[in-house]
Amino acid sequence: MSCIRFNTPAQRQAMRDHSPAMLTAEEAAALHPAPEFTESKLRRLRLLATDPNPKIREAVASSYNTPLDLFETLAKDPDEGVRGCVAKNEATPCDILRSLASDRSETVRGWVAVNYYVPADVMDKLAKDRSRTVRSLVKWKAQLAEEEGTAEEGAPVRAEEPALQP
């Protein structure tokens, strides 16, 4: 007996007709708003940032609500994965991304290169990185920005620096 199912053309069309519509990020956010960020959640982030398990610290490093002092601490974490999560977090302040552009880990520098909010001077530095992988990521991101710029009139090639968190 086979577990492979062959649908008829009519069945496939019915599945397409009844498939859910894809939501934009804004529509999804409106349907599922993020809960309010409270003082108790901030205390929880601070506690979790000191957890011995690096996966827990990665969760803190990935949060958009991580405060500046925790970003600074986690950017110096001995675990490459934690530093990588700081590097790819779009809420990470630009000065911390600048410091991570000199990280000993090629992976961390690669995550800095693909972060949308990396300042132009950091991208210029990473374009000359000793790692071919990092240089390739910089080139790939630049090509994406060019394509986006030609597809959308006036689209920025490089993003502005995000505001620092309180």
Side-chain angles (χ1 to χ4, degrees):
M1 177 178 282
S2 174
C3 62
I4 298 175
R5 178 176 175 187
F6 297 98
N7 293 318
T8 66
Q11 289 171 321
R12 287 194 300 271
Q13 184 60 47
M15 287 188 290
R16 281 191 293 274
D17 292 343
H18 293 93
S19 66
M22 295 300 295
L23 299 176
T24 65
E26 292 79 20
E27 292 168 332
L31 287 173
H32 308 285
E36 181 182 337
F37 187 73
T38 62
E39 192 63 35
S40 68
K41 290 181 183 177
L42 177 60
R43 284 193 305 272
R44 193 173 317 131
L45 280 176
R46 291 188 182 287
L47 176 66
L48 295 174
T50 63
D51 195 277
N53 183 341
K55 294 297 181 189
I56 301 295
R57 297 192 310 275
E58 283 181 18
V60 177
S62 298
S63 173
Y64 289 119
N65 296 307
T66 299
L68 175 63
D69 64 310
L70 287 185
F71 273 131
E72 290 170 343
T73 300
L74 295 169
K76 297 172 187 158
D77 195 278
D79 187 84
E80 174 185 272
V82 175
R83 297 190 317 275
C85 287
V86 172
K88 62 183 157 182
N89 188 334
E90 293 181 350
T92 300
C94 291
D95 287 340
I96 294 173
L97 292 173
R98 276 188 185 93
S99 70
L100 288 172
S102 299
D103 195 273
R104 65 186 175 272
S105 167
E106 170 186 69
T107 302
V108 172
R109 296 190 315 275
W111 281 117
V112 172
V114 298
N115 186 317
Y116 186 75
Y117 292 99
V118 175
D121 62 304
V122 177
M123 291 304 290
D124 293 340
K125 175 182 179 174
L126 292 171
K128 300 171 193 142
D129 194 271
R130 65 185 177 273
S131 164
R132 187 176 66 163
T133 301
V134 173
R135 293 190 312 270
S136 296
L137 288 168
V138 170
K139 184 177 178 181
W140 171 76
K141 184 177 171 187
Q143 288 171 341
L144 285 180
E146 285 176 21
E147 290 170 11
E148 204 173 276
T150 57
E152 298 175 24
E153 189 62 34
V157 173
R158 300 211 181 177
E160 297 298 318
E161 296 188 13
L164 289 179
Q165 300 201 18

